[in-house]
Amino acid sequence: KRQALDRVSFDVQEGDFFSLLGPNGAGKTSLINILTQLNRIDEGHIEVFGLDLRKEPVNIKRMIGLVPQEFNFNMFLTVQQILFYSAGYYRLSPKAQAPRINMILKKLNLFEKRHVMARFLSGGMKRRLMIARALIHRPKILLLDEPTAGVDVETRQEPWAFLKQLNQE
């Protein structure tokens, strides 16, 4: 059995932007997978907003929005359908879903593509859709694994500006 992480320790304050940098295989994705409970923590202690990961995994999971490296939505659904399903998964009230979805789509310049099947989007648009989906439930923590993968230089600025605005709010 190989140990993925050893003696990792850090504190991130509310409102901070925090980056994990390191070479491939350093454990960045493993750490994200532990925080999102895709991987099990074998030893050590993780606390998120005062909650112990081992004792309150569901409450912690509700606080996190995740943008994984790989696209993991149904490519045969429209942009809007993907976001409505995610909103329902997080139990957003039906009344709150459409305004939230429309606001996020406008901020990420995807509103005009809301009726387009995901498979017809460019790589950068798919990445922005992943960000939109991760934000649908107003998470306290947003985890982005390789957030600029497949996004051209000009388009990178749009999601970052929106994320900075959300962070300030």
Side-chain angles (χ1 to χ4, degrees):
K1 182 174 171 179
R2 189 170 155 231
Q3 190 169 18
L5 301 165
D6 186 24
R7 291 183 297 258
V8 174
S9 178
F10 57 88
D11 290 313
V12 180
Q13 300 304 309
E14 189 167 356
D16 281 354
F17 276 87
F18 180 82
S19 296
L20 288 173
L21 302 173
N24 291 341
K28 301 177 299 290
T29 299
S30 294
L31 181 59
I32 288 171
N33 288 346
I34 288 170
L35 286 169
T36 57
Q37 298 151 63
L38 295 172
N39 288 358
R40 191 172 53 84
I41 180 174
D42 293 322
E43 58 184 71
H45 178 78
I46 296 177
E47 198 172 281
V48 178
F49 287 107
L51 302 177
D52 185 306
L53 184 69
R54 292 180 198 268
K55 294 178 183 171
E56 302 198 57
V58 174
N59 289 328
I60 289 174
K61 204 175 240 185
R62 287 183 183 133
M63 287 189 237
I64 295 174
L66 173 64
V67 181
Q69 286 184 39
E70 304 295 328
F71 302 128
N72 64 352
F73 44 71
N74 185 332
M75 292 289 182
F76 295 96
L77 294 177
T78 67
V79 168
Q80 197 170 49
Q81 288 171 324
I82 289 167
L83 296 181
F84 270 108
Y85 288 139
S86 291
Y89 175 79
Y90 285 104
R91 297 185 179 164
L92 235 63
S93 74
K95 183 179 176 181
Q97 288 179 5
R100 177 77 180 158
I101 289 168
N102 289 337
M103 183 276 293
I104 290 172
L105 288 176
K106 287 175 185 172
K107 293 287 186 176
L108 291 172
N109 290 322
L110 286 172
F111 188 76
E112 301 301 319
K113 301 289 186 181
R114 67 190 180 279
H115 300 299
V116 173
M117 263 195 277
R119 70 191 205 118
F120 295 118
L121 298 176
S122 70
M125 288 180 187
K126 288 174 185 168
R127 181 70 51 205
R128 285 184 276 155
L129 176 55
M130 297 281 284
I131 293 170
R133 189 181 62 179
L135 292 171
I136 202 71
H137 66 292
R138 292 183 174 86
K140 291 181 85 169
I141 300 168
L142 181 63
L143 300 173
L144 301 106
D145 196 356
E146 303 286 346
T148 55
V151 180
D152 59 76
V153 176
E154 297 84 31
T155 313
R156 286 181 189 183
Q157 300 308 314
E158 295 167 4
W160 289 120
F162 177 49
L163 294 175
K164 287 178 185 175
Q165 176 191 343
L166 282 177
N167 189 43
Q168 289 171 352
E169 293 170 3

